[in-house]
């Protein structure tokens, strides 16, 4: 028995031939996009018009009392944004405006770290030292923890494995 995989364009549903130039399109933002960026594939001829349809836009964040402390992100055409500058042309205003540094990714705080001394995380592989609390949970709830690990696609704990026995305090066999 043989298998044949057929690739189709996400845009048109047409079969992608081996001689077609396949283009990957990553959608970063869209009103209907709910769970982050997605990837689509299409024939290059199907997306040629994207560049022609593109808009010159300004993406701005507005910090005011309406957002409850969070900025509102607004996308508008560059010409609409440029029209807001009535004293000095926007191009000049942008050249002389105060620069801001991009926000750095925050370091993980203690609150962000997983607590391996809980049934929810005990037994998960980690670099840190295994606490006695985690080891005791693993010993007392091994079947439950192994089921959770298996469901999550993580290696299970084997008390007969010398490394696992030492890490979680199982008797050496």
């Amino acid at each position: 028995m043989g298998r044949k995989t057929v690739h189709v364009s996400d845009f048109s549903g047409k079969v992608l031939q081996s001689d077609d130039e396949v283009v990957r399109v990553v959608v970063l933002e869209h009103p209907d996009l709910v769970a982050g960026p997605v990837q689509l594939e299409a024939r290059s001829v199907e997306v040629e018009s994207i560049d022609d349809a593109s808009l010159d836009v300004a993406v701005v964040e507005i910090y005011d009392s309406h957002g409850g402390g969070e900025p509102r992100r607004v996308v508008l055409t560059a010409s609409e944004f440029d029209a807001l500058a009535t004293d000095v042309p926007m191009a000049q205003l942008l050249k002389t405006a105060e620069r801001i540094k991009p926000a750095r990714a925050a370091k993980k705080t203690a609150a962000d770290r997983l607590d391996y001394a809980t049934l929810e995380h005990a037994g998960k592989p980690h670099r840190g030292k295994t606490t006695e609390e985690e080891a005791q949970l693993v010993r007392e709830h091994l079947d439950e923890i192994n089921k959770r690990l298996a469901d999550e696609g993580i290696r299970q704990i084997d008390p007969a494995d010398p490394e696992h026995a030492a890490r979680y305090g199982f008797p050496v066999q």
Side-chain angles (χ1 to χ4, degrees), residues 88-138:
V88 178
M90 185 60 74
Q92 183 180 346
L93 184 60
L94 293 174
K95 286 179 186 170
T96 59
E98 178 183 354
R99 301 273 174 236
I100 61 169
K101 294 180 181 176
R104 289 186 176 184
K107 288 187 174 184
K108 284 192 173 186
T109 64
D112 295 332
R113 293 189 189 110
L114 298 180
D115 183 1
Y116 295 100
T118 63
L119 275 174
E120 182 182 6
H121 300 295
K124 287 182 180 177
H126 59 90
R127 290 184 179 170
K129 184 177 185 271
T130 301
T131 64
E132 180 51 40
E133 292 83 7
E134 179 187 5
Q136 183 177 351
L137 270 175
V138 169

Side-chain angles (χ1 to χ4, degrees), residues 5-76:
T5 302
V6 177
H7 294 275
V8 297
S9 165
D10 291 314
F11 286 95
S12 67
K14 292 183 180 176
V15 174
L16 298 172
Q17 303 297 325
S18 59
D19 59 339
D20 283 334
E21 181 184 348
V22 178
V23 176
R24 181 173 74 117
V25 177
V26 177
V27 182
L28 301 171
E29 293 184 30
H30 187 280
D32 295 327
L33 194 62
V34 292
V38 297
Q39 170 180 296
L40 303 170
E41 288 185 342
R43 296 175 21 232
S44 63
V45 297
E46 295 174 326
V47 296
E48 285 176 346
S49 63
I50 285 180
D51 288 327
D52 296 336
S54 68
L55 303 172
D56 288 330
V57 298
V59 180
V60 300
E61 288 182 339
I62 300 173
Y63 295 79
D64 61 12
S65 60
H66 298 294
E70 292 296 316
R72 291 181 289 131
R73 181 172 277 205
V74 179
V75 178
L76 63 162

